[in-house]
Amino acid sequence: AQKVTQAQTEISVVEKEDVTLDCVYETRDTTYYLFWYKQPPSGELVFLIRRNSFDEQNEISGRYSWNFQKSTSSFNFTITASQVVDSAVYFCALSEGQGGSEKLVFGKGTKLTVNP
Amino acid sequence: DARVTQTPRHKVTEMGQEVTMRCQPILGHNTVFWYRQTMMQGLELLAYFRNRAPLDDSGMPKDRFSAEMPDATLATLKIQPSEPRDSAVYFCASGPPRVSYEQYFGPGTRLTVT
């Protein structure tokens, strides 16, 4: 069965610190997709990134970077030089299968607080 | 800027009342999902549709919940009768037909059942 574990329930950092959010997943499928979503205090869910199981290249987008390691079933998310606006709950999610959008299984989320 | 819309944004109702939540997916998206978010359970899938046909509703309490897509521009989630434990934020998301798996979420409906 699919499962996503975000062991860190809450993280608090001071602005400009780097922070890494951990995500470990379980799946029996060889084809799957991993996602990160951000949920700011306003409540909406904002898509950040999608990676497929065949692409282990790390990705960087501005201050955000993602490290995907199949060997450890992890898909960690790092924010460099954090800012107060990064304060949110971050969800890691997993989707299996092919053929179009499929259901997501979410982790419990990590609440990040960036203090000025 | 295409977005998923949901109505109402907030709903307060008394136990036993019927609740209907509506979702307008992004035009051209053929997959629609309903998720529920609570503090205890986190984000969990209730049901989803592709091309208006239900694919999976195993996450939904069948005795009181029902989900439908009367047409390609409208998805509904009904609870009858509502109970206090149904209090949650209900998100609708839609996804495009290509193999991309990106789901775009609506703003959610915050339901409070007293």
Side-chain angles (χ1 to χ4, degrees):
Chain A
Q2 299 169 291
K3 186 178 178 182
V4 176
T5 302
Q6 295 180 254
Q8 304 149 308
T9 305
E10 292 193 40
I11 300 176
S12 183
V13 299
V14 177
E15 209 169 15
K16 297 185 183 176
E17 280 186 38
D18 298 348
V19 58
T20 295
L21 310 181
D22 297 333
C23 173
V24 174
Y25 62 93
E26 293 177 31
T27 178
R28 285 177 288 188
D29 212 328
T30 56
T31 301
Y32 54 90
Y33 288 73
L34 295 162
F35 301 78
W36 277 93
Y37 281 84
K38 174 182 179 180
Q39 187 174 41
S42 53
E44 75 271 27
L45 281 156
V46 179
F47 167 80
L48 294 178
I49 190 171
R50 169 186 56 89
R51 300 308 300 270
N52 72 54
S53 52
F54 299 107
D55 183 2
E56 287 192 74
Q57 271 194 320
N58 291 334
E59 183 154 341
I60 298 175
S61 175
R63 297 183 296 106
Y64 295 171
S65 63
W66 291 269
N67 181 267
F68 176 27
Q69 292 195 342
K70 286 179 78 170
S71 60
T72 56
S73 297
S74 65
F75 186 44
N76 296 337
F77 173 30
T78 297
I79 302 175
T80 303
S82 60
Q83 300 176 0
V84 172
V85 293
D86 296 327
S87 297
V89 180
Y90 291 86
F91 292 95
C92 182
L94 167 69
S95 175
E96 289 178 343
Q98 304 178 24
S101 292
E102 298 294 344
K103 60 184 178 181
L104 295 174
V105 173
F106 285 89
K108 295 293 188 187
T110 297
K111 182 178 181 181
L112 173 65
T113 301
V114 181
N115 299 298
Chain B
D1 187 19
R3 291 175 184 252
V4 175
T5 58
Q6 289 186 249
T7 56
R9 293 294 308 278
H10 302 273
K11 177 73 175 179
V12 179
T13 191
E14 292 183 350
M15 184 173 63
Q17 296 298 306
E18 178 178 301
V19 175
T20 298
M21 291 169 269
R22 294 177 175 80
C23 167
Q24 183 172 10
I26 293 173
L27 190 65
H29 283 192
N30 69 335
T31 310
V32 174
F33 304 82
W34 284 103
Y35 292 90
R36 177 171 62 183
Q37 185 177 32
T38 61
M39 289 295 294
M40 293 299 295
Q41 300 297 326
L43 274 159
E44 51 184 353
L45 179 75
L46 296 176
Y48 78 108
F49 295 77
R50 176 159 300 126
N51 297 322
R52 297 176 55 200
L55 286 189
D56 186 346
D57 61 1
S58 58
M60 208 163 64
K62 303 289 193 307
D63 57 337
R64 299 183 300 108
F65 284 59
S66 63
E68 295 179 346
M69 278 201 76
D71 60 60
T73 64
L74 176 65
T76 62
L77 180 66
K78 290 185 181 180
I79 308 175
Q80 169 63 22
S82 57
E83 297 180 1
R85 59 179 167 153
D86 300 329
S87 297
V89 180
Y90 291 81
F91 286 100
C92 175
S94 70
R98 66 182 183 274
V99 182
S100 71
Y101 295 80
E102 292 170 30
Q103 294 182 23
Y104 297 84
F105 282 76
T109 294
R110 182 174 294 277
L111 173 66
T112 303
V113 184
T114 61

